[in-house]
Amino acid sequence: MNSGPGAPGAGFRPTHVVPGDGLPAWEAPDPTRPTVALDAFLPVQLLSRRGEWAEVLCSNGWSAWVDGRLLVAVPQPPPTAGRPLERTEDPAPLLARTAEALERVRRAAADLTEGRLDTDGVRRATLGLRAGVVLDGDRLWVYDEAGGRWMYADGSRPTTYAVDAEPGPPPAPEPPPGADPGARAGAGEVPHAPTRVTATPDGDGP
């Protein structure tokens, strides 16, 4: 963990809690720099996000980076007058994508049964599809391929239930307005103009 700018004291306002199994933590948004794991149900304050990574502050002033997909949001009081309501995650688009993927699989299986496709055709028709859904009354588990996670809902907005793997690399910082397009080059890389092949003075190639 990293020490914050002093213990937050009375100004500490938790926005999330650590899930019941605890949470691995890292010194930076980098899987190669692990630190002490966070205890189960520990209140934390979200400081920033970088892709799937989240920087959190603990009540004792320590900060760390965690998998932000697994944090459990703390219910917040209603907004004051003039503040817009925070938008919650709508499960409808995710369910629609899942239904579309299942329909493609159903059509491919029907085409195979009726001889319109062979096994290679089925493989091509379903290449890259990933979907999953478990429904038990008002309880729903659905796989979010874009986020690499399982979502759970029991009549309320969905929350992250499990993730595929550790958070991936954070997105590259946006270059300042008017910066050279080469500013997106990776660390240690020197942007340069494209290489040109020119003829030598005698007319022969390089």
Side-chain angles (χ1 to χ4, degrees), residues 48 56 62 68 100 124 144 165 171 196:
S48 64
V56 295
W62 291 95
E100 180 182 353
R124 289 192 297 270
D144 174 15
R196 294 184 178 182

Side-chain angles (χ1 to χ4, degrees), residues 18-42:
V18 174
D21 295 332
L23 202 58
W26 293 266
E27 295 179 355
D30 181 350
T32 65
R33 299 179 60 184
T35 185
V36 180
L38 302 186
D39 294 335
F41 306 117
L42 177 72

Side-chain angles (χ1 to χ4, degrees), residues 101-125:
L102 294 175
E103 176 60 18
R104 286 177 59 183
V105 173
R106 187 200 65 78
R107 290 198 303 264
D111 289 345
L112 177 64
T113 300
E114 298 173 12
R116 292 190 293 269
L117 283 179
D118 56 14
T119 53
D120 286 339
V122 170
R123 187 176 299 110
R124 289 192 297 270

Side-chain angles (χ1 to χ4, degrees), residues 31-191:
T32 65
R33 299 179 60 184
T35 185
V36 180
L38 302 186
D39 294 335
F41 306 117
L42 177 72
V44 297
Q45 181 177 347
L46 179 65
L47 298 179
S48 64
R49 283 189 178 273
R50 292 187 64 185
E52 297 169 350
W53 294 90
E55 184 184 16
V56 295
L57 177 68
C58 303
S59 60
N60 63 359
W62 291 95
S63 65
W65 289 86
V66 299
D67 188 339
R69 298 170 295 178
L70 293 173
L71 289 172
V72 180
V74 174
Q76 300 297 316
T80 58
R83 274 179 51 192
L85 290 172
E86 180 181 358
R87 297 186 61 178
T88 58
E89 189 161 5
D90 182 3
L94 177 55
L95 291 173
R97 292 196 300 272
T98 302
E100 180 182 353
L102 294 175
E103 176 60 18
R104 286 177 59 183
V105 173
R106 187 200 65 78
R107 290 198 303 264
D111 289 345
L112 177 64
T113 300
E114 298 173 12
R116 292 190 293 269
L117 283 179
D118 56 14
T119 53
D120 286 339
V122 170
R123 187 176 299 110
R124 289 192 297 270
T126 58
L127 183 65
L129 288 181
R130 299 188 72 190
V133 60
V134 178
L135 181 63
D136 182 11
D138 65 343
R139 296 187 298 171
L140 171 71
W141 292 262
V142 61
Y143 182 67
D144 174 15
E145 179 183 1
R149 56 183 177 170
W150 279 89
M151 306 292 290
Y152 170 74
D154 57 357
S156 60
R157 66 174 183 170
T159 57
T160 301
Y161 180 78
V163 296
D164 284 350
E166 293 177 346
E174 290 290 332
D180 189 326
R184 285 185 175 272
E189 297 180 10
V190 179

